[in-house]
Amino acid sequence: MTLQEEILRRRTFAIVSHPDAGKTTLTEKLLLYGGAIHVAGAVKSNKIKKTATSDWMEIEKQRGISVATSVMGFDYAYSPAREQVSASGNTLQQAATLSPTDTVQPGTPKTYHINILDTPGHQDFAEDTFRTLTAVDSVIIVIDSAKGVETQTRRLMEVCRMRKTPVMVFMNKMDREGKDPFDLMDDVEQELGIHVTPMTWARGQGLKFESVFFINNRPADLTEKEQADMELIDGVYPAFDRERYLAGDLAPVFYGSAYKTVGVEELLQFFVENAPSPRPIEAMERKVDPMEPALTGFCFKIHANMDPNHRSCIAFFKICSGRFERNTYYQHVREDRQMRFSSPTCFMAQKKETVDEAFAGDIVGLPDTGNFKIGDTLTSGETLHFKGLPSFSPEMFKYIENADPMKQKQLDKGVRQLMDEGVAQLFVSQLNGRKIIGTVGQLQFEVIQYRLEHEYNALCRWESLQMYKACWIESDDAAELEMFKKRKTQYMAFDKEGRDVFMADSAYVLQMAQNDYKHIRFHFTSEF
Ligand code: G4P
């Protein structure tokens, strides 16, 4: 296969949802279709659930939430039959014109390479999810049809909108009594602020739910109610328009039940045909096209101790262009040096495999001993920096203290590695050198404490700290900046990179500072 063919057959996406909407269940069903796992029947028993393929960490098993973002790659062979109506409901001829660069030849099986990036569902890990969204080309939003759109999903959608990420919606749990399908679409339109159009429709709901059909390929035996539904749909919703979908303006909607494996294959088929292959990515210097033969990629996640038996980190790189090869020298841009990798891995949930090559769109894991930070770029030689991996000002702050004087070294190492992973943010007070951890939620503190204990054999204690916001500051007026730092020493801290951060303990203090120092700019994300 040529480089171009390899890249065109790739589909890299994230499944995002509110916790419990069914993300894990859907992911498993997609893996089943790809032949990547072989668990027959619905994922029902707690036993299976506890070892759910996308859950990595002990703490997830304990709490039943996904803390870590995991990556799963698999091949999916889709073979449209000649003259058959394709998944999108268009004839294959039309389907071909819909995706000119990615033609499905009638009767020819086409093997897509799918990379699913699972995201932590819990809101305390929102930042982790935001970063994951920088590594995907599209998103599937899962909604619990009994509950409708929930706050957290709305927030994730903000990020998709900012990045113009194409979005598909899966209305899950149609086997439960829930909201009316039309109301659900209204809900998405209003709450998520995106136009919608249904692609499939559910036959029945709740106990009567049995199957779905493509709206463009309606069964002959429509009931009166279904007939009326179709008329309403034809009158109200726009036809699917791939350009609008790719621009992030129109979301195709699918109904189904991940649990009962209904509506999932329809989603998958439509997805591989219509979701984008790797898209161009903006670097600070220029736009990078995935088809460029030279390798470029950035690190969006670092995961320490994936395997407790081997105390190593894995840096997750999204390949933005070209081909990545094992044992080939690449430029580590920040450190301005050449590195090569003898055991790059790709992921199949808990399994990792060494790979010889990977292509734009893929995620490779590089075993790391502290060389990488989130946002680092690897290239074939060019100096490039990818945008869009900011740190947000945390919402909660606590002092972290050592609770076991014999284990100071372990604690320091643990804190350093967890911060490099992006689990939370570390600030060091410029006044007294005390370490402050900033998070977006209480659960993160618990995870840090647990992981320090179980992975680093270190004990920590938290001391509360009244803090409103951390602001990264800069000014063209160096004298004023120095003056500010001197006057506000007790509020000043360094972030992980040694940059100056103003830690305002109340909205009032921040407002006064902004009023008094007109030339200083206060930023709420680290990237400005
Ligand atoms: P999440 O990753 O988004 O947090 O959700 P997850 O897949 O873990 O699903 C949350 C719960 O919803 C699970 O039930 C799961 O079985 C159930 N579920 C998922 N999809 C459907 C569906 O289409 N229909 C119905 N009726 N239920 C669905 P649980 O009670 O937490 O676990 P379990 O006892 O079923 O394993």
Side-chain angles (χ1 to χ4, degrees):
M1 238 185 273
T2 64
L3 177 69
Q4 194 177 21
E5 284 166 343
E6 282 287 5
I7 296 172
L8 280 177
R9 75 186 189 97
R10 277 167 162 72
R11 300 285 181 273
T12 302
F13 73 106
I15 304 185
V16 301
S17 75
H18 189 273
D20 271 352
K23 187 161 56 69
T24 310
T25 313
L26 179 64
T27 306
E28 289 199 342
K29 294 302 163 76
L30 293 174
L31 293 178
L32 273 170
Y33 278 111
I37 57 170
H38 303 276
V39 184
V43 181
K44 193 183 178 344
S45 82
N46 282 327
K47 193 162 158 271
I48 295 175
K49 167 123 180 150
K50 284 220 178 84
T51 54
T53 331
S54 59
D55 284 349
W56 251 329
M57 286 156 40
E58 189 70 20
I59 191 151
E60 292 186 303
K61 291 176 195 161
Q62 289 199 349
R63 292 174 180 274
I65 51 163
S66 296
V67 174
T69 303
S70 31
V71 181
M72 284 149 282
F74 63 94
D75 279 342
Y76 172 65
Y78 170 46
S79 98
R82 189 179 296 271
E83 297 306 319
Q84 191 192 320
V85 173
S86 76
S88 55
N90 301 286
T91 64
L92 286 166
Q93 217 111 37
Q94 287 167 323
T97 56
L98 278 173
S99 41
T101 51
D102 196 4
T103 311
V104 181
Q105 293 300 328
T108 322
K110 187 169 165 73
T111 305
Y112 291 90
H113 186 79
I114 298 179
N115 296 307
I116 305 180
L117 277 66
D118 193 12
T119 53
H122 199 283
Q123 60 180 8
D124 287 6
F125 297 91
E127 205 176 320
D128 215 10
T129 300
F130 293 156
R131 274 196 301 260
T132 299
L133 294 181
T134 65
V136 299
D137 299 300
S138 70
V139 159
I140 294 179
I141 294 180
V142 181
I143 289 172
D144 179 341
S145 62
K147 299 211 172 117
V149 175
E150 293 176 86
T151 318
Q152 212 171 314
T153 314
R154 215 178 304 145
R155 277 213 223 125
L156 291 168
M157 186 62 207
E158 298 280 312
V159 181
C160 295
R161 206 187 342 271
M162 230 162 62
R163 306 180 55 83
K164 296 197 167 56
T165 311
V167 168
M168 290 188 189
V169 175
F170 186 70
M171 298 287 188
N172 193 28
K173 307 199 188 184
M174 289 303 287
D175 59 318
R176 291 217 181 139
E177 291 306 329
K179 294 190 171 187
D180 175 75
F182 285 106
D183 289 346
L184 284 166
M185 271 187 299
D186 283 353
D187 199 23
V188 169
E189 204 145 32
Q190 275 157 29
E191 296 292 326
L192 298 186
I194 187 164
H195 296 108
V196 291
T197 188
M199 302 313 299
T200 62
W201 202 246
R203 306 205 87 171
Q205 194 170 356
L207 289 175
K208 294 207 190 84
F209 175 68
E210 50 184 52
S211 62
V212 301
F213 60 85
F214 274 105
I215 284 169
N216 285 359
N217 188 20
R218 302 169 193 183
D221 63 340
L222 289 183
T223 64
E224 228 165 84
K225 162 87 169 57
E226 287 169 342
Q227 194 71 49
D229 286 352
M230 293 306 110
E231 271 164 36
L232 189 55
I233 288 169
D234 291 342
V236 171
Y237 294 102
F240 175 69
D241 175 336
R242 187 162 185 254
E243 291 310 313
R244 284 183 70 189
Y245 158 68
L246 291 178
D249 176 44
L250 181 68
V253 176
F254 297 79
Y255 291 85
S257 162
Y259 183 73
K260 300 219 150 156
T261 328
V262 178
V264 177
E265 192 164 20
E266 286 81 356
L267 171 73
L268 182 58
Q269 291 188 348
F270 186 90
F271 174 81
V272 292
E273 275 189 13
N274 291 288
S277 53
R279 308 202 294 169
I281 300 183
E282 287 284 350
M284 230 94 94
E285 292 79 2
R286 64 183 185 86
K287 200 180 225 175
V288 175
D289 190 279
M291 299 298 173
E292 293 174 19
L295 175 102
T296 63
F298 66 84
C299 172
F300 68 97
K301 182 180 176 67
I302 293 178
H303 201 297
N305 304 322
M306 284 211 318
D307 179 352
N309 301 321
H310 302 95
R311 311 214 123 239
S312 64
C313 287
I314 294 227
F316 290 74
F317 270 81
K318 157 81 185 240
I319 304 176
C320 302
S321 70
R323 182 198 311 261
F324 176 94
E325 284 169 302
R326 194 158 82 93
N327 281 328
T328 301
Y329 279 101
Y330 294 114
Q331 178 75 3
H332 184 326
V333 173
R334 180 176 52 82
E335 295 208 330
D336 190 21
R337 69 186 168 99
Q338 297 268 303
M339 288 182 81
R340 64 178 177 160
F341 307 93
S342 58
S343 48
T345 50
C346 71
F347 300 91
M348 187 40 254
Q350 208 143 26
K351 270 208 312 261
K352 353 184 216 88
E353 259 170 33
T354 302
V355 287
D356 290 326
E357 56 176 14
F359 301 89
D362 287 341
I363 312 295
V364 287
L366 304 178
D368 180 36
T369 49
N371 292 309
F372 292 117
K373 293 183 182 175
I374 287 170
D376 276 352
T377 308
L378 277 186
T379 68
S380 295
E382 188 178 354
T383 300
L384 273 184
H385 301 84
F386 286 99
K387 293 198 255 183
L389 291 157
S391 293
F392 298 88
S393 175
E395 309 273 322
M396 298 176 78
F397 301 85
K398 287 184 183 183
Y399 284 119
I400 184 166
E401 299 291 346
N402 184 8
D404 180 350
M406 306 300 288
K407 301 280 169 59
Q408 184 66 46
K409 256 197 199 143
Q410 285 87 332
L411 185 75
D412 289 345
K413 181 177 175 207
V415 169
R416 202 176 53 242
Q417 284 194 352
L418 292 180
M419 296 308 124
D420 279 346
E421 254 187 59
V423 168
Q425 292 179 59
L426 175 70
F427 303 94
V428 178
S429 163
Q430 295 188 11
L431 182 68
N432 54 25
R434 288 183 78 182
K435 286 183 176 155
I436 300 163
I437 304 281
T439 69
V440 292
Q442 172 60 30
L443 182 58
Q444 268 168 292
F445 291 111
E446 293 172 33
V447 169
I448 291 168
Q449 186 159 10
Y450 179 95
R451 291 189 59 186
L452 285 172
E453 191 180 335
H454 288 82
E455 295 172 23
Y456 298 92
N457 198 19
L459 293 178
C460 78
R461 214 161 21 78
W462 301 108
E463 200 174 300
S464 60
L465 176 61
Q466 179 55 42
M467 188 67 66
Y468 170 64
K469 277 238 157 28
C471 316
W472 284 264
I473 55 170
E474 52 152 9
S475 173
D476 299 327
D477 183 342
E480 190 189 27
L481 193 61
E482 272 319 301
M483 165 89 81
F484 178 85
K485 281 159 58 178
K486 221 171 176 171
R487 293 236 171 107
K488 305 281 181 192
T489 317
Q490 78 269 33
Y491 295 110
M492 292 304 299
F494 293 117
D495 74 359
K496 209 157 54 79
E497 319 288 339
R499 287 174 295 202
D500 286 319
V501 180
F502 174 57
M503 312 283 276
D505 59 5
S506 69
Y508 177 74
V509 163
L510 176 59
Q511 201 186 356
M512 291 307 284
Q514 284 169 322
N515 284 344
D516 293 348
Y517 297 86
K518 296 278 185 229
H519 302 292
I520 294 182
R521 293 182 289 276
F522 296 79
H523 302 279
F524 300 104
T525 70
S526 63
E527 197 176 88
F528 42 83

